[in-house]
Amino acid sequence: MMTDAAALAGRRLDLVSAPFTLPRSRVLVFRADDGEGVRVHTSEYERRLSESRVLDALTVIGAGGEVLPVSDVHPARVTFGAAAATLTFADPSTLSLGGEPGARVRLRRPDGHVEEHLLGGGIRLRVAADRAVAVESGGHCAALAATEAIWADWFAKCPSVRDDLQEMTAFCWWVLGANIVELPSLGDARAIVPSKIGYVGLWQWDAYFIAVGLRHGDPELAREQLDIAFRFPQPDGQLPDVVHELGVLATSDDLPESDRANLRRAGSQIADPSAPVPLTKPPLAAWALRKVLEVEDAPDYARTQLARIVRSQDWWFAGSDLDHDGMPEYGHPYSSGLDDSPIFDGPLPTAAPDLGAYLVQQDRDLASLLVKYEPDADVERFRARAETTQALLLRMWDPERRRFLAFGGGEPQLSDTVVGLMPLLTGTLPAPIAAALRQAVDDPERFALPWGLPTVAACDPDFSEERMWRGPVWVNTSMLVAEGLEASGYPERARELREQTVALVIHGGGPHEYFNPQTGQKARTATTAFGWSAALFVDLAVQLS
C-alpha cells in the first residue's frame, strides 16, 4: 500500500502547483521557468516566494554536455534524464544530488553568480536560515534511502478508499505530509500549515479541518494540530487566529502597523475603532475535537482541551457580544474565516447566521463531551445557552426572502451567501425553514451550480466566479453544508453534495484553495496544494467509501 500510494501521489507532483519538499522542511523545489532544471525557494511566514529565493536555477548537465530535463517526480526524488541524476533531501535543510560519472550541476544564485560542480558520489546543498547555500560533499545513496524511508512511513498511514478516489486521496495525503513544518519556538512541534506557498503558520480554523482529515491515518498528529491551536489563549480565553514561528496573531496589535491602520479604519459601529481588534476564527473547536476523539480516544488529552474550549466559548459570549443582545458578533471579517464575504461590506460588527449555528453546535458538543470526560461538570448551562442562542438565530430568518440574513452594525446585509445555509448544522431548525434551505441548495439560480456550492448565490449581484469568498466553491463550506443537510434530515442530498465535492477536486486537478463553480477549475488567484482542501478530501473519501 505505501509504495502504491507514493507512486500514485507522484503522478500529481508537477513541480508547478506541487513543489518537491520534505516533511518538516522549509525548502521548496519548483520547475524552472524556462523548463530546464529547477529553482529553489524557502517557505517563510508572511514572505512571498519571490522574496525567498535560494537558487534561481539548478540545472543538471549530462556527461556529454547536454542539459538533462526533469523526467520523473516521486515524493522521495526528482529524476533528471534517463535516470542519469537524482535530487533528494539529506535532511530538512539540505538537498542531495547524485548522478552518473561525468554529470555535473550548474547553480545560479540570486545575485547572478553561476558555478558548476561534478556530482561524483554526491554533493549536498545546505540552505542556511538567511537562504545562503553551502556546497558540500556527501553520500547521495544514503540520503536517497533516508528520504524514501520518511515517505514510506508517511504513506503507510494513507487511508484506503474507493478505487476511483484512491489516487487523489494519496496525493492529498502527500499534501498533508508535505505541509508539515517545524515551529522552533514550540520545541519539536509539528504544524501542518495551509500551504508552504504563502500560508506558513497554524491558522486556528485550518487546524480544525486539517485534523478532521488527518485523524483517519495519523490521529496523534491530528491531536497535535488541535493542541497547538488551543495552547495560547488570551487571558480572557479567546483563542488566537494564528500560531506561527514568531509568536501568535490574536489582536490587531500583532499585525504590522499598516495592517493595524487598515483595521482601525474599518472601524465599528459599536466597538472603539481605536482599540485593538481581537482576531480569532469561528468556534468549531469542540466539533473538531469530537471528530478526532471518535477515531482514537485520549481521555487525559480530551480533558485538557475541553477546559480551553470552554473558556473560548465563554469568551464569545462575554467578549464578542458587542451590542449586548445575547448573540455574539464577528468583530472583524478576519475572525469569520470568510474575510472577503459581502456580508462584511456593511458596517461592523457583524452578527451572522453561521456564527450563531457554530455557537449552538459548540455548546451542544461541549455538553456531550463533558458528560463523557468530566462527569461531575455542570452541563446544563451549555444546553440552556444553546437553546437561547438558537432562538436568537431564528430571529435572523427573513420569512419573505426565505433565508437567513447577517446584520452589520444592526443593519440587514442582503447578500445571499453560504453563511445563510450554515444553520442546517444545528439539526433542529423548524421543518419549513430546513426545507427552504434544502430548496436553496437545489436551486440552479442560487447554489446548485455545475461544479458545486458557490459561496455567494449565482443570482446575487455580489456573485463573482473567481473572487475569494464571493462565489468560488470552497471544500470546507461544501463539507459543512453537507453535514448540515444530513443533520437536518436530508442524508441522500448530503451524500450527493459530498460526491460532487470530491469530483470537483479530481476534475480541478488537486486540492486547491478554491474553485470556479462554473468550470470546476482552480480559481486564478487560489493557492495550490492547500491543506484543508486536502484533508477534507481525505475525510470525504473515507466517508464515501
Side-chain angles (χ1 to χ4, degrees):
M1 173 60 196
M2 61 184 170
T3 302
D4 291 343
L8 289 173
R11 296 177 186 177
R12 303 273 178 174
L13 298 185
D14 59 3
L15 303 188
V16 178
S17 61
F20 181 66
T21 189
L22 185 74
R24 296 178 174 262
S25 177
R26 298 297 187 93
V27 178
L28 306 176
V29 178
F30 292 89
R31 194 177 296 271
D33 296 334
D34 61 7
E36 294 188 353
V38 297
R39 53 189 168 85
V40 183
H41 298 259
T42 51
S43 177
E44 301 177 37
Y45 179 65
E46 293 291 284
R47 191 181 292 275
R48 299 173 186 270
L49 282 179
S50 59
E51 301 170 322
S52 307
R53 295 153 56 203
V54 174
L55 292 171
D56 286 349
L58 183 160
T59 307
V60 177
I61 302 167
E66 72 283 11
V67 172
L68 301 178
V70 173
S71 56
D72 183 57
V73 184
H74 180 276
R77 62 189 174 277
V78 177
T79 302
F80 298 86
T86 52
L87 171 73
T88 190
F89 278 86
D91 60 53
S93 61
T94 307
L95 293 168
S96 175
L97 282 147
E100 64 185 8
R104 62 189 190 278
V105 63
R106 179 182 300 143
L107 309 176
R108 188 172 79 242
R109 299 178 186 259
D111 62 3
H113 175 73
V114 177
E115 61 199 76
E116 291 190 2
H117 301 271
L118 285 171
L119 294 182
I123 66 166
R124 295 185 175 184
L125 308 177
R126 188 173 302 280
V127 181
D130 63 357
R131 298 184 291 282
V133 179
V135 181
E136 307 167 351
S137 61
H140 182 63
C141 292
L144 192 58
T147 301
E148 288 175 344
I150 289 170
W151 281 114
D153 288 345
W154 179 252
F155 281 109
K157 301 174 183 177
C158 179
S160 295
V161 297
R162 219 168 62 193
D163 287 350
D164 61 314
L165 302 178
Q166 190 66 64
E167 179 177 323
M168 185 56 72
T169 296
F171 179 58
C172 288
W173 195 250
W174 173 86
V175 169
L176 294 175
N179 283 351
I180 297 173
V181 303
E182 291 182 335
L183 297 175
S185 61
L186 304 183
D188 60 354
R190 301 168 295 169
I192 298 183
V193 301
S195 172
K196 284 183 177 176
I197 310 170
Y199 291 96
V200 189
L202 185 135
W203 272 257
Q204 183 194 146
W205 215 27
D206 298 69
Y208 300 159
F209 296 126
I210 287 169
V212 164
L214 194 62
R215 64 184 172 140
H216 298 295
D218 196 335
E220 179 183 2
L221 188 55
R223 292 194 298 272
E224 187 171 351
Q225 304 316 294
L226 300 184
D227 178 69
I228 296 171
F230 301 154
R231 199 185 299 182
F232 302 100
Q234 298 295 286
D236 57 7
Q238 175 219 328
L239 293 173
D241 186 356
V242 189
V243 178
H244 55 84
E245 57 204 25
L246 305 177
V248 301
L249 174 63
T251 81
S252 54
D253 283 348
D254 299 327
L255 292 167
E257 179 52 40
S258 59
D259 290 349
R260 279 182 278 172
N262 288 338
L263 280 175
R264 301 226 170 102
R265 274 195 294 273
S268 168
Q269 301 302 297
I270 298 166
D272 178 358
S274 66
V277 179
L279 301 177
T280 185
K281 279 293 182 281
L284 286 167
W287 170 87
L289 179 64
R290 169 173 56 82
K291 286 179 174 288
V292 168
L293 293 172
E294 285 171 356
V295 170
E296 184 175 277
D297 202 10
D300 290 341
Y301 170 90
R303 284 186 280 272
T304 297
Q305 308 310 336
L306 279 168
R308 294 164 169 170
I309 298 172
V310 166
R311 293 189 66 230
S312 170
Q313 179 79 340
D314 288 344
W315 169 82
W316 277 101
F317 290 91
S320 204
D321 178 11
L322 299 171
D323 59 3
H324 307 292
D325 68 347
M327 174 63 82
E329 296 92 23
Y330 292 125
H332 191 272
Y334 286 7
S335 295
S336 75
L338 284 71
D339 307 1
D340 297 330
S341 173
I343 69 168
F344 299 111
D345 288 353
L348 294 170
T350 303
D354 62 327
L355 178 56
Y358 299 148
L359 290 167
V360 170
Q361 187 60 41
Q362 178 136 290
D363 267 330
R364 290 173 177 167
D365 280 335
L366 282 171
S368 62
L369 288 166
L370 287 167
V371 165
K372 179 175 182 179
Y373 295 106
E374 296 281 7
D376 294 332
D378 174 16
V379 300
E380 288 308 313
R381 76 177 183 99
F382 300 104
R383 292 170 176 159
R385 188 166 61 188
E387 295 304 312
T388 300
T389 306
Q390 175 138 336
L392 294 169
L393 173 62
L394 290 173
R395 293 184 189 177
M396 296 182 182
W397 177 253
D398 185 318
E400 293 185 6
R401 293 183 174 86
R402 288 172 57 79
R403 54 189 168 91
F404 283 94
L405 298 180
F407 292 81
E411 301 174 8
Q413 304 301 299
L414 301 182
S415 295
D416 188 7
T417 78
V418 73
V419 303
L421 302 176
M422 292 305 171
L424 286 165
L425 284 165
T426 67
T428 50
L429 295 175
I433 294 179
L437 296 185
R438 159 70 192 267
Q439 290 167 10
V441 171
D442 290 342
D443 186 347
E445 298 297 316
R446 294 178 67 191
F447 292 103
L449 295 195
W451 283 102
L453 195 78
T455 40
V456 173
C459 61
D460 192 280
D462 291 317
F463 172 78
S464 168
E465 296 174 355
E466 292 278 322
R467 190 174 169 190
M468 180 185 283
W469 293 120
R470 299 178 84 96
V473 178
W474 290 70
V475 176
N476 67 325
T477 50
S478 297
M479 180 275 303
L480 287 170
V481 171
E483 189 161 306
L485 287 165
E486 184 166 18
S488 296
Y490 303 109
E492 288 307 311
R493 186 64 183 92
R495 185 177 181 88
E496 290 172 6
L497 182 54
R498 289 168 178 144
E499 291 281 8
Q500 185 181 37
T501 303
V502 295
L504 167 70
V505 175
I506 293 170
H507 170 79
H512 307 310
E513 189 178 12
Y514 48 97
F515 300 78
N516 183 304
Q518 301 289 3
T519 67
Q521 297 299 313
K522 182 183 87 69
R524 184 178 56 82
T525 56
T527 296
T528 57
F530 195 69
W532 83 34
S533 298
L536 294 178
F537 182 94
V538 172
D539 186 59
L540 291 171
V542 171
Q543 288 186 61
L544 294 170
S545 301

